[in-house]
Amino acid sequence: MRKFFLFLLFISFSIFAQENVDIDHLNWLPDSHSFWVNSQNNIEVYDVDNLSKKKIILTDDQLKKSGFTGEIEKLVWNNNKTKVLIYTNSKKVWRANTKGDYWFFDLVTGKGRQLGKSLEKSSLMFAKFSSDNENAAYVSQHNIYLENLNSGKITPLTTDGTDKIINGTFDWVYEEELAARDGFRWSPDGKSISFWRVDATKTKFHLMINNTDALYPFTVPVEYPKAGEKPSSVKIGVIDISSLQTNWLQIPGEPDNNYLVRMEWTNNQNMMVVQLNRNQNQASIYNCNAKSGQADLIYQEKSESWIDVFDISAGEYDVFPCQFVDNGKAFLWSSDADGWMHIYKISSDGKSKELITTENFDAYYKAYNKETKSIYFIASPTDATQRYLYETNLNTKKTKRVTSKEFEGTNEYRFSTDAKYAKHTNSNINRNYNTRLVALSNHKKILPTEADNFTAPNRNYSLEKFKVKTGDGIDIDGIMAKPLNFDPAKKYPVFFYVYGEPMASVANDEPYFNYFIAALIPEGYIGIAMDNRGTPVMKGTKWRKSIYKNIGIINTHDQAMAAKEVLKWNFIDTDRVAVHGWSGGGAVTLNLMFQFPEIYKTGIAIAAVADQHFYDNIYTERYMGLPNENEAAYIQASPVTHAKKLKGNLLYIHGTGDDNVHYKNAEVLINELVKYDKMFDLMIYPNRSHNISEGEGTDKHLADTFLRYIRKNSPPGAK
């Protein structure tokens, strides 16, 4: 379940006159530390080792002569970087614009043409080159196609694709909860393609109703397996390009009761596949033979809660979780089984396992330099609100912090594909986002050439960090926003911003508070954001996984107990206490309003899960178990169970076109509130999705509705 991040993000664009290199928009080339930037539709390539030698590989004039008229959204390179595919005219598929048009350009001749011209416009997905540069493959309307780059001949590699049979990409729930979008891979020799095939014929549709875009209403179906429903049946096939025959991998387990999470070729004949069982508490890694289909178990890990195959809160898609080392004789694997997220080296036959990061703090893997055998990971040993880059060596296992001391706060890195350089972005509660290009060996700055210019955030309120200890003895981190004219002798209304689930944290050492609430702070409000147990902060396995089978229970309890401590502060007006959350945070908001009316007087919940049974199976079963295993907790966790206890002022907001947290949640909640004669306010946005942003005027209307309600029911100003 994704939290909708609606906050004011100010990015400081760093364009440097000396080389005119826009590092904020650099894109790394494969297997190198060269990068490209788009300069007014001229594609410029730089090598970090020699930035003075800029190479323009494609010009706006060349693009126009080929007939290209779109925006350059992405480049896909061939192995020797002599050809590119340009992605343009993209359209949204669920969360992101993952279908569009692709244009092929030969960088030697400068000539190009559009791929897939006979197929539906803006329907191509995940196009990529074969290693021999003869072909490109892509997905269109749930089938995989091969296009010869010389002749332009298009050959369908699968032909059974429909809305229910999905080849080369995924259904809604795999994308949303397993961060899987790109569903096919070329073999290293370019002679085969492996792909996922999702059979959703037995997965029920959730029907959304569109009442506004035609004379008569019509339904919008989304194949959506809810908690307790079996997943779609998924298998992996290998297509031989010469014969066009498909061979299926014989991976153990029922295809509609397990998840094939990741897959990658290890050589021309074999693939590594990562499988999760239905409960997601057992991960199995198989070595699979492309010709025979035989799958041999290499490694298996079990957990009493769930297993994170990848960093679920990182927002990265299709990332393979195993980094091959020692010339393919071993791979790196991350696990928090010993109480901390640690990196291990496992031999390719699975017979040996070695702990690489040995310190007692969480280490989240990010990159590997095969030349120096340096492993880079994100950690924060002393302050869970912050993030720093660390390095350990595969041989010596010596660990050191890479991020320089002056970069206090939150640090993010986009690594070159050879892990020698990175784009580094730093910020904290008192420092705006600032970016540089650095060498990872010593964190030396490459660009910009002038001194770092740390600027104050562009805001009209202040931020500070704090900690509270609840009556249960739980230490909670928090971020507090105050008006600039704050007077500690007066009492202020307080506005809590909550999320509280395993997908995201809110108490981060970053320069801006929640967008809606931040707009109110200068009027005389205190804003508070706190991270309860179960949020993905770097406090160890026990902290993160204490929420297992307790979503909606432990997070609600922790938030309320921490709020009680905040309300003890002399400058807080306990009669003016508001709370807001979106998605999972919306569910927490409802639970807080219903179960702790003595604390929270006013609440705004947006796109909330009203009943745990209504959300998708992968997310809900991962953290709550299957309903038939944990039914009492499902009921206790669901806001609808407690709706009868509402006493304060509640505004509920939802979009009817929400394919993530369905509008069904709103209507079931409304029925329960009506049943018990509970007065509340309601704002429904027709055909808006989970982020409620579509349609002219929507953003302003949503903000105005939000602010007006708070000003009315929890008036601003110190007293």
Side-chain angles (χ1 to χ4, degrees), residues 638-676:
S638 299
V640 69
T641 302
H642 311 284
K644 63 177 73 74
K645 303 174 188 176
L646 175 65
K647 292 183 179 180
N649 309 300
L650 173 64
L651 170 60
Y652 188 79
I653 301 173
H654 214 128
T656 66
D658 191 336
D659 58 56
N660 185 353
V661 180
H662 302 135
Y663 177 64
K664 170 187 176 74
N665 288 272
E667 295 201 343
V668 170
L669 179 66
I670 291 166
N671 275 343
E672 196 69 5
L673 291 167
V674 169
K675 176 181 177 181
Y676 290 98

Side-chain angles (χ1 to χ4, degrees), residues 6-170:
L6 189 59
F7 57 89
L8 191 58
L9 183 63
F10 292 87
I11 297 295
S12 174
F13 294 118
S14 306
I15 301 178
F16 307 107
Q18 180 180 353
E19 295 296 341
N20 195 30
V21 182
D22 182 2
I23 62 170
D24 282 284
H25 294 95
L26 70 80
N27 300 271
W28 296 108
L29 272 68
D31 302 319
S32 71
H33 48 259
S34 294
F35 63 88
W36 67 272
V37 294
N38 179 4
S39 177
Q40 298 179 331
N41 267 12
N42 295 289
I43 303 301
E44 301 173 349
V45 172
Y46 297 84
D47 186 322
V48 181
D49 290 333
N50 193 354
L51 287 168
S52 63
K53 291 188 177 181
K54 175 179 68 178
K55 184 177 181 181
I56 300 177
I57 62 158
L58 272 179
T59 66
D60 182 49
D61 184 58
Q62 288 173 314
L63 296 177
K64 289 177 179 177
K65 285 181 178 178
S66 72
F68 180 88
T69 58
E71 297 292 328
I72 299 173
E73 299 180 43
K74 185 176 69 173
L75 292 187
V76 180
W77 297 79
N78 68 340
N79 288 341
N80 58 10
K81 307 173 188 63
T82 59
K83 296 177 172 63
V84 294
L85 302 175
I86 298 181
Y87 181 57
T88 188
N89 298 327
S90 68
K91 292 184 178 180
K92 189 176 182 180
V93 178
W94 311 129
R95 286 276 179 172
N97 288 29
T98 51
K99 66 178 182 179
D101 293 327
Y102 282 90
W103 287 67
F104 161 62
F105 281 88
D106 186 319
L107 300 182
V108 177
T109 65
K111 295 182 179 180
R113 63 175 179 82
Q114 186 177 351
L115 296 183
K117 288 194 70 173
S118 62
L119 301 173
E120 181 179 313
K121 185 178 179 180
S122 292
S123 70
L124 272 58
M125 307 175 73
F126 315 119
K128 36 192 172 283
F129 291 100
S130 60
S131 59
D132 60 10
N133 299 318
E134 293 294 318
N135 299 294
Y138 45 77
V139 174
S140 178
Q141 296 181 299
H142 297 157
N143 277 313
I144 305 172
Y145 292 86
L146 183 79
E147 182 164 344
N148 185 273
L149 297 175
N150 295 315
S151 67
K153 180 183 178 182
I154 299 173
T155 303
L157 300 182
T158 65
T159 57
D160 60 346
T162 65
D163 288 342
K164 285 285 193 175
I165 302 295
I166 303 166
N167 296 297
T169 185
F170 298 93

